[in-house]
Amino acid sequence: MNLTAQFVIDASYFAAAFLFIYGLKRMSSPVTARSGIVVAGAGMLVAVLASFLYYFGVNDAALPHLGTNVVLAAVALGLGTAWAWWSGKRVAMTAMPQMVALYNGMGGGAAACIAAVELLRTSAVHQTIPLLLAVVGALIGAISLSGSLIAWAKLNGNINGVWRIGGQQILNGIVFLATLGVGAYIVFVAHGHADPAVVAAFFIGALIFGVMMTMPIGGADMPVVISLYNAFTGLAVGFEGYVLQNPALMIAGMVVGSAGTLLTLLMAKAMNRSVSNVIFSNFGAGGGEQQGEIKGSQKPAEAGDAAINMRYASKVIIAPGYGLAVAQAQHKLYEFVKLLTDAGVEVKFAIHPVAGRMPGHMNVLLAEAGVPYDMIYDLEDINAEFKEADVAVVIGANDTVNPAARTNKSSPIYGMPILNVDQAKQVYVIKRGQGKGYSGVENELFFADNCNLVYGDAQKVMVAMIQAVKSLEGGGH
Amino acid sequence: MDLATTLTGFVALYIFMLAAFTGYEIIGRVPAILHTPLMSGSNFVHGIVVVGAMYALLNATSTVEQVIGFAGVLLGAGNAAGGYVVTERMLEMFKPSDRKGAGDQKKA
């Protein structure tokens, strides 16, 4: 290898690793977050441009193909970037989780491709440890690829419902062990000189396992799974980085691997589930059977009355859920909130950790409507304030405000932290109909004495509320 | 790919260990409101895999290797570019209340 080229590559990778970590650090505070992604993006650009310098140091065997390979690399880079840029600009904020899943799956696939090239290069002398990491990275990357595609299809509505067969877990176990066995054969018996058909069988097994592992998991649990696959891809990238002796891949991959693992655990904890529980059990399928009797009745209220009640309150806390975003009512909601704050009402947003479809997804959806982030509070920060609130408003949320999580030990959501909206003096729940939440559990809150339900599409309800307050102001002068 | 293994055994383990703690520390103190952008941001960061795929493709010696390498670069570039765009779009929307009068809601 040309020494200058090698130095430039090494220096660029070092810069990239620094910029990634510094960028992620900046992304961890709302004030600096925006510059964080730009910093990390600069790191990526530097690393990719420097990688063309590999041109000066390819193996002798690859020299006759070098011209073709460089053109192929440029074309692949161009196509991949153009498609992803275009699709990323178009995707709606509500569809963000599945898009992240898709991009993540692509990364897992790329890691698997690196491993595939290495494993098919039977002419080379292979050492056991790089070979082992190549195989493990390939396994994780391929599972992440096919699993993320299924997660994307499920959240996108291309695959509906869950797909389960009898003895599924035993079958999954057999496929996994078989794939692992083939991988072990490649490393320890064939020492990297396995027949291409065996290598292909290994990848096919891993891909099938990713599909089978993801198919039985319901939509509500999908964010945890996407986060898990994000961590998987990180690990796969880190391992392939060792195989290629590339510290930038090792560092970036392992940072994401551990950050993603922690994020997955935080999400699962917020849903009161363990990660193994999400992967191996089937929540929500049989839910709603072991219900206790709920006393009381659901009392409807008019949107206008509720709005005027809030206008004369001194403190209002709003608990939004994914239903708000589905109805595309965030903008109208914020317009209503501005009317309230102009009238001197203290308004806060209370966000449950799993509101929306990923932790923090609801914040993104509110931010899209222009809601400033300092009006938005996490569960731990706001739960004590519901006691002082005159009105709590629940919009398109259900399980995250169900008091059964505190009181009813037989409830499937027992123990999950919830927003204590029921402690406010008055609760309004805006919902489309009398249905149950994502978990299929009946909500005691709706039957409480201090709770009234405003039925209707969230967007139309918000318009009616805005009109009610505006007509009040108009009549007052 | 007869690579000289310079990052052997323990050096590699040190890198992995320190990187793992770095990732843990970065996410551990983040408020929940940033979890989705940060997951997307970390998704972007592992898009660096495209660099490894470029190495594999440039060193390809057969058609099979070229096809797989091409797929790797294509997928890796998609990971990096897509991850960047969606993260940037999400973070762009986070504003404090003193700027709320601007009302520049991006429609992309």
Side-chain angles (χ1 to χ4, degrees):
Chain A
M1 168 73 95
N2 178 318
L3 280 178
T4 316
Q6 186 62 55
F7 178 79
V8 173
I9 291 174
D10 288 344
S12 307
Y13 287 174
F14 181 76
F18 167 76
L19 292 170
F20 285 158
I21 294 171
Y22 182 59
L24 277 174
K25 182 69 205 157
R26 287 189 77 80
M27 269 187 254
S28 64
S29 156
V31 185
T32 55
R34 233 196 114 179
S35 62
I37 183 66
V38 178
V39 167
M44 188 70 75
L45 201 62
V46 167
V48 169
L49 290 179
S51 297
F52 276 102
L53 294 175
Y54 281 134
Y55 181 86
F56 299 106
V58 296
N59 297 328
D60 291 343
L63 276 176
H65 309 276
L66 193 52
T68 322
N69 289 351
V70 170
V71 173
L72 283 176
V75 170
L77 263 182
L79 282 180
T81 306
W83 173 81
W85 203 274
W86 173 79
S87 60
K89 285 282 183 199
R90 278 176 70 244
V91 64
M93 280 297 152
T94 41
M96 207 52 93
Q98 52 264 48
M99 217 57 206
V100 172
L102 193 59
Y103 296 139
N104 175 55
M106 294 173 80
C113 286
I114 294 174
V117 170
E118 175 75 357
L119 295 178
L120 288 172
R121 199 183 296 271
T122 48
S123 57
V125 180
H126 292 284
Q127 292 171 293
T128 306
I129 290 177
L131 199 56
L132 184 64
L133 284 182
V135 165
V136 173
L139 179 69
I140 301 172
I143 291 172
S144 176
L145 169 64
S146 60
S148 296
L149 283 177
I150 299 295
W152 168 79
K154 282 196 159 203
L155 284 180
N156 213 30
N158 299 43
I159 299 176
N160 285 311
V162 288
W163 173 88
R164 291 186 191 113
I165 50 173
Q168 168 111 30
Q169 282 174 26
I170 296 166
L171 193 62
N172 283 7
I174 291 171
V175 172
F176 183 69
L177 287 177
T179 309
L180 217 54
V182 177
Y185 167 82
I186 293 172
V187 179
F188 298 110
V189 181
H191 299 292
H193 300 270
D195 191 81
V198 176
V199 177
F202 170 72
F203 279 100
I204 291 169
L207 289 171
I208 291 176
F209 179 73
V211 172
M212 290 174 65
M213 178 176 155
T214 320
M215 282 306 273
I217 301 172
D221 287 334
M222 217 38 96
V224 178
V225 177
I226 294 174
S227 179
L228 184 70
Y229 287 149
N230 187 38
F232 274 16
T233 303
L235 285 178
V237 171
F239 291 162
E240 299 310 332
Y242 179 78
V243 175
L244 298 180
Q245 291 288 297
N246 183 330
L249 261 69
M250 290 167 73
I251 292 170
M254 199 50 71
V255 165
V256 175
S258 86
T261 304
L262 181 61
L263 197 55
T264 309
L265 294 174
L266 287 175
M267 283 192 198
K269 198 174 147 207
M271 296 167 77
N272 196 34
R273 315 273 314 273
S274 70
V275 174
S276 66
N277 194 247
V278 167
I279 306 288
F280 298 115
S281 83
N282 305 320
F283 190 72
E289 286 162 16
Q290 62 282 58
Q291 300 289 331
E293 284 280 306
I294 297 180
K295 297 192 183 81
S297 60
Q298 300 192 3
K299 298 168 290 296
E302 286 299 320
D305 296 343
I308 288 164
N309 199 350
M310 282 183 251
R311 162 69 180 74
Y312 289 105
S314 59
K315 184 167 186 171
V316 173
I317 301 178
I318 299 170
Y322 190 65
L324 173 76
V326 171
Q328 286 295 316
Q330 311 96 292
H331 292 87
K332 290 289 170 202
L333 172 65
Y334 186 48
E335 198 181 330
F336 176 65
V337 166
K338 276 191 278 193
L339 285 176
L340 292 182
T341 49
D342 288 348
V345 184
E346 184 189 2
V347 184
K348 289 181 176 176
F349 287 87
I351 309 290
H352 190 275
V354 293
R357 286 190 151 182
M358 285 202 269
H361 188 204
M362 201 65 230
N363 305 76
V364 172
L365 296 169
L366 288 177
E368 188 188 18
V371 179
Y373 60 75
D374 44 19
M375 281 178 86
I376 302 172
Y377 293 82
D378 289 345
L379 179 135
E380 313 89 83
D381 298 327
I382 195 129
N383 245 352
E385 292 191 34
F386 279 105
K387 286 196 284 290
E388 306 150 17
D390 302 293
V391 181
V393 191
V394 178
I395 308 174
N398 192 335
D399 296 327
T400 54
V401 295
N402 191 344
R406 284 198 310 256
T407 55
N408 183 354
K409 285 194 176 161
S410 65
S411 172
I413 60 169
Y414 178 75
M416 178 172 93
I418 59 154
L419 291 167
N420 297 328
V421 291
D422 55 321
Q423 292 172 355
K425 293 188 188 76
Q426 169 69 48
V427 184
Y428 290 111
V429 177
I430 299 169
K431 66 198 298 276
R432 287 161 66 89
Q434 301 191 338
K436 293 169 183 172
Y438 224 176
S439 68
V441 181
E442 191 70 80
N443 196 334
E444 288 176 16
L445 172 73
F446 303 161
F447 299 89
D449 288 337
N450 62 343
C451 179
N452 290 83
L453 290 101
V454 182
Y455 291 114
D457 173 77
Q459 174 134 227
K460 289 187 182 127
V461 169
M462 292 326 299
V463 170
M465 286 187 162
I466 291 166
Q467 276 167 356
V469 172
K470 275 189 176 162
S471 65
L472 197 70
E473 309 289 326
H477 290 286
Chain B
M1 256 182 280
D2 291 306
L3 288 157
T5 331
T6 47
L7 298 167
T8 44
F10 279 103
V11 178
L13 275 177
Y14 279 121
I15 292 179
F16 279 146
M17 178 189 73
L18 293 172
F21 274 107
T22 306
Y24 186 90
E25 283 300 311
I26 288 174
I27 288 274
R29 298 189 205 144
V30 169
I33 76 163
L34 281 170
H35 276 174
T36 292
L38 211 72
M39 177 161 144
S40 175
S42 61
N43 179 38
F44 160 71
V45 165
H46 66 51
I48 187 69
V49 68
V50 68
V51 166
M54 282 174 72
Y55 181 87
L57 176 55
L58 289 180
N59 284 288
T61 52
S62 68
T63 312
V64 177
E65 288 176 14
Q66 283 174 330
V67 169
I68 298 173
F70 183 84
V73 176
L74 188 74
L75 292 170
N79 183 182
Y84 182 84
V85 170
V86 297
T87 310
E88 208 257 344
R89 274 185 63 196
M90 278 192 256
L91 291 175
E92 194 174 34
M93 298 182 310
F94 281 92
K95 289 189 225 39
S97 50
D98 56 6
R99 280 173 56 195
K100 70 181 168 187
D104 50 341
Q105 292 148 14
K106 286 265 172 165
K107 287 272 191 295

